[in-house]
Amino acid sequence: MFTKVLVAEDYEIANQGIIKILNEKIGIHDIEEAKYCDDAYLKFRKAYNSQEAFQLLITDLSFRQDHKVQTRTSGVELIKDIKKIQPDIKVIVYSQENRPDKINMLFDKLNINGYVCKGQHAIKELMTCVDGVYQGKTMLPAELTNNSKANTMIHLDDLDMILLEQLSQGFTKKEIRAKLKEQKITPNGESAIDKRVSKLFEDFKAKNTTHLVAIVKDLGLL
């Protein structure tokens, strides 16, 4: 079982609940906690630099803002920065977020290992998730394994992400096509790009480019 765990959670009750479960139910005793992403990152760097790296990160996605200025304000930013230094660290997200598309993004883009939605059965699910991740499994939540929800999920490939990024920077479809041709990225034809962009609008139910960019940023895709 994991022997060294970092918990990033800004709510004291939830934080202590996670630590209690890890300690008393799973038998993990070397646990450090942080209520801010920056604090969690500093504790991670200190342990890593001391060659006593954490084996598992359990983090929320949303953190409350207060008077303390933070460089990292979300669990997504924390995960990205930690994985730049320690790519093999195991990551479990423990959050109220239940939108399949955002959860799927965390697995696809950040390569997290497990996800638990806060709720009535969250503690039991967290215990199962920790055990499964330790065994090398990818622990998907019900929000992704439920067939009716999985069928409505939006799957984006590299070209979709390039289009979204370029649109978010204010480039027109004509300018994007020119960039794709210059970088020899295909397909880059007018019809292909028009169809791709139209599908993005349809998939995200966006009214215009500004609305589309706002939606994907809210989902954490940009």
Side-chain angles (χ1 to χ4, degrees):
M1 179 49 66
F2 298 111
T3 57
K4 191 175 181 67
V5 179
L6 176 61
V7 177
E9 166 65 61
D10 58 351
Y11 283 96
E12 182 70 23
I13 295 177
N15 209 330
Q16 293 304 312
I18 295 172
I19 293 172
K20 184 176 181 180
I21 289 299
L22 295 176
N23 196 319
E24 298 180 4
K25 300 295 185 181
I26 304 179
I28 303 172
H29 303 295
D30 191 352
I31 306 167
E32 292 196 37
E33 60 178 302
K35 297 179 182 177
Y36 297 94
C37 292
D38 282 352
D39 290 343
Y41 182 74
L42 289 175
K43 289 186 176 184
F44 159 76
R45 285 301 300 262
K46 182 179 179 180
Y48 185 84
N49 292 337
S50 300
Q51 297 185 339
E52 297 177 349
F54 290 101
Q55 301 163 327
L56 172 66
L57 166 68
I58 299 177
T59 182
D60 198 348
L61 293 178
S62 301
F63 289 78
R64 290 172 293 177
Q65 302 298 307
D66 59 18
H67 65 280
K68 190 173 182 180
V69 179
Q70 298 290 313
T71 302
R72 302 163 191 82
T73 59
S74 72
V76 169
E77 293 172 305
L78 176 63
I79 295 168
K80 285 181 178 178
D81 285 349
I82 284 179
K83 276 186 165 286
K84 286 178 184 177
I85 298 171
Q86 187 181 337
D88 62 344
I89 189 173
K90 302 297 184 182
V91 178
I92 293 175
V93 172
Y94 183 68
S95 172
Q96 291 181 334
E97 178 60 66
N98 62 2
R99 289 175 292 180
D101 292 318
K102 185 155 189 175
I103 297 173
N104 186 60
M105 179 277 297
L106 296 170
F107 282 97
D108 285 353
K109 305 303 178 184
L110 298 184
N111 296 314
I112 68 169
N113 306 95
Y115 194 102
V116 176
C117 287
K118 294 179 180 178
Q120 184 178 0
H121 305 292
I123 293 300
K124 182 179 179 181
E125 291 173 0
L126 181 60
M127 291 172 58
T128 302
C129 188
V130 171
D131 183 61
V133 169
Y134 178 73
Q135 295 180 42
K137 301 176 183 178
T138 297
M139 302 300 289
L140 303 175
E143 282 70 15
L144 293 189
T145 56
N146 181 293
N147 289 332
S148 62
K149 291 185 177 180
N151 290 335
T152 63
M153 284 173 54
I154 301 169
H155 296 279
L156 304 174
D157 60 20
D158 290 341
L159 180 57
D160 290 324
M161 295 303 300
I162 291 173
L163 292 176
L164 288 171
E165 183 178 355
Q166 293 296 308
L167 289 171
S168 73
Q169 295 176 13
F171 292 106
T172 65
K173 287 188 288 185
K174 182 178 180 180
E175 291 171 327
I176 294 173
R177 288 197 299 272
K179 281 175 170 284
L180 293 178
K181 289 181 179 179
E182 181 181 344
Q183 298 174 21
K184 297 182 180 180
I185 298 174
T186 57
N188 54 35
E190 181 177 353
S191 176
I193 299 303
D194 285 345
K195 288 180 180 178
R196 284 278 189 146
V197 174
S198 295
K199 188 174 187 305
L200 289 171
F201 274 89
E202 181 181 343
D203 286 342
F204 289 102
K205 297 179 173 57
K207 298 177 182 178
N208 50 49
T209 301
T210 301
H211 189 206
L212 175 63
V213 171
I215 292 171
V216 296
K217 282 188 174 180
D218 182 55
L219 288 171
L221 296 173
L222 291 176

